[in-house]
Amino acid sequence: MDSLLLNRFWLLLAAVGGAVLPVAMSKIDSRWRAVVQVICGTLVAVFVAPAFQRHFLPGEDVEIQAGVSFLVGCFGLKLTWIIQRVLDRHGVGIADRVITRIAGGGK
């Protein structure tokens, strides 16, 4: 098997494992909801972990990359939920400040 393909499979397995862990430790009543949470956690890890690794850990071994994928799979969905809550509460104010700063709207 190709080494690159094996590494990608290893990282996907780490992402799925990380996404399964919080579901296994929670008290989710619905199997459908648990499956959706695992899929979403895996997707967060698949898309966020490589960007994180490329920016902060370039050239690291596949074991380090798998560890990052596992951690992002485990905690990435919860962090996404927290960020969404912050944006729901304060998003308009943050957007106004960013637009003012970019557009140069001084007082």
Side-chain angles (χ1 to χ4, degrees), residues 4 12 17 29 34 42 74 81 98 104:
L4 180 63
L12 179 62
D29 296 331
T42 301
C74 190
W81 181 80
V98 169

Side-chain angles (χ1 to χ4, degrees), residues 75-89:
F75 301 111
L77 195 57
K78 183 60 92 175
L79 184 59
T80 302
W81 181 80
I82 290 169
I83 292 169
Q84 186 64 49
R85 296 269 318 235
V86 168
L87 288 175
D88 286 347
R89 289 184 181 167

Side-chain angles (χ1 to χ4, degrees), residues 2-102:
D2 184 43
S3 178
L4 180 63
L5 184 62
L6 186 60
N7 287 350
R8 289 185 188 258
F9 177 73
W10 181 246
L11 295 176
L12 179 62
L13 185 63
V16 171
V20 166
L21 186 63
V23 172
M25 294 173 51
S26 70
K27 296 177 182 177
I28 296 176
D29 296 331
S30 166
R31 284 189 182 165
W32 174 247
R33 186 168 173 87
V35 168
V36 168
Q37 188 170 338
V38 169
I39 291 170
C40 290
T42 301
L43 288 172
V44 169
V46 165
F47 290 110
V48 172
F52 180 88
Q53 293 161 3
R54 186 165 290 138
H55 186 74
F56 294 107
L57 304 167
E60 287 295 333
D61 293 335
V62 71
E63 291 84 4
I64 300 296
Q65 294 176 6
V68 170
S69 292
F70 182 86
L71 291 173
V72 173
C74 190
F75 301 111
L77 195 57
K78 183 60 92 175
L79 184 59
T80 302
W81 181 80
I82 290 169
I83 292 169
Q84 186 64 49
R85 296 269 318 235
V86 168
L87 288 175
D88 286 347
R89 289 184 181 167
H90 308 288
V92 173
I94 292 170
D96 287 342
R97 285 192 297 271
V98 169
I99 291 170
T100 301
R101 184 172 291 171
I102 292 172

